[in-house]
Each structure stands twice: as structure tokens, then as C-alpha cells.
Amino acid sequence: MTMLIVVFLALFNGCCISFCRILNGRLGQDTSAFNASLWNHVVGFVFLSIIVYCTSSLPVNIVMKAPVTAWLGGVIGALFVALNSYVLSRVGATLTALLVIGGQLLTGVLWDAISHGAEFSQLAGVLCILAGVLLTKYNQGQQQKK
């Protein structure tokens, strides 16, 4: 039962990410990708501050002892939101989601290959997904020419 809840939460999280990217991409159309990313993170900061204030008993000095590299996640996350806003307004939500998932899969396979050795089947799977994305984009281009 616990695994079923975890799977549901992961799927729900995927839905939240898609909605967040779509909403942020819409905001980016009215402003810019970096402005949209900034406001996305300001609102997220306020939301998380309330949640952490109400639920956490972890002293701040323990968090501050984290290695410098651990703080890069925030920079990468902000860059992700800005890049996603820029790309989404140009290629649409579906293609953006597929490319982001393809990038995540490719990174996961490369990370596993570096740390545990490469498996051809994983790399082949990622290449099939990316080929599908390219084929979809190619078909859209052909239909627009007609």
C-alpha cells in the first residue's frame, strides 16, 4: 500500500510540474523568461517559508553547514524554470514536456553510466524517445508546409 501511495505522489508531482511549467510559460509570454522565473521562485519561497515555519524544528545553523555544492540545486532549479518558460512559448507544452523528460532520462542514464557502467538498453530507450520527439517535430513542419 505504501508503494502505491508513493507511485501516486510521483505521478501527481509530474502533473504539478507540467501545470507549473505551463503557467510559468504563460507568465513568461507577458514578461520574460527570467522575470517569470523570478516571480515563480518568489511565490515558491513564500509558500515554502510558511510550510517550513509551521512544520520544521531543524535549526538554521545545521542547514548552513551543507557543502557549497549542495546550494547549486537552487541555481539549477531557477535556470530550469527560466529555460522552460523560454522554450515552452516557442514549441508548446507537449514538445517542451517531452524534451525535458528526454533530458532528464539522458542525464539519468549518463549519471548511471558514470557511476555504475553503461547499459545499452537504457541508452537505446532514451534515444528512441528523442527520435520520437524529432519525428513529431518533423511531421509538424511538413504539415505547416502544406
Side-chain angles (χ1 to χ4, degrees), residues 81-102:
V81 172
L83 290 175
N84 202 79
S85 297
Y86 179 79
V87 171
L88 189 133
S89 63
R90 284 153 181 81
V91 299
T94 303
L95 190 54
T96 300
L98 288 173
L99 290 170
V100 167
I101 291 168

Side-chain angles (χ1 to χ4, degrees), residues 27-140:
L27 183 62
Q29 289 177 340
D30 290 339
T31 58
S32 71
F34 282 102
N35 275 329
S37 179
L38 172 69
W39 286 109
N40 178 298
H41 285 88
V42 167
V43 172
F45 174 77
V46 170
F47 174 73
L48 286 177
S49 295
I50 293 169
I51 297 294
V52 168
Y53 178 78
C54 293
T55 61
S56 180
S57 60
L58 188 65
V60 174
N61 64 346
I62 290 178
V63 175
M64 298 306 288
K65 291 179 181 175
V68 173
T69 53
W71 297 92
L72 290 176
V75 174
I76 294 170
L79 184 62
F80 167 77
V81 172
L83 290 175
N84 202 79
S85 297
Y86 179 79
V87 171
L88 189 133
S89 63
R90 284 153 181 81
V91 299
T94 303
L95 190 54
T96 300
L98 288 173
L99 290 170
V100 167
I101 291 168
Q104 289 174 337
L105 290 171
L106 188 60
T107 303
V109 167
L110 289 175
W111 188 264
D112 280 348
I114 291 169
S115 59
H116 306 297
E119 285 192 33
F120 178 74
S121 61
Q122 291 177 326
L123 182 59
V126 171
L127 292 176
C128 285
I129 290 171
L130 293 176
V133 169
L134 291 175
L135 183 63
T136 301
K137 189 67 181 166
Y138 176 77
N139 282 339
Q140 287 176 346

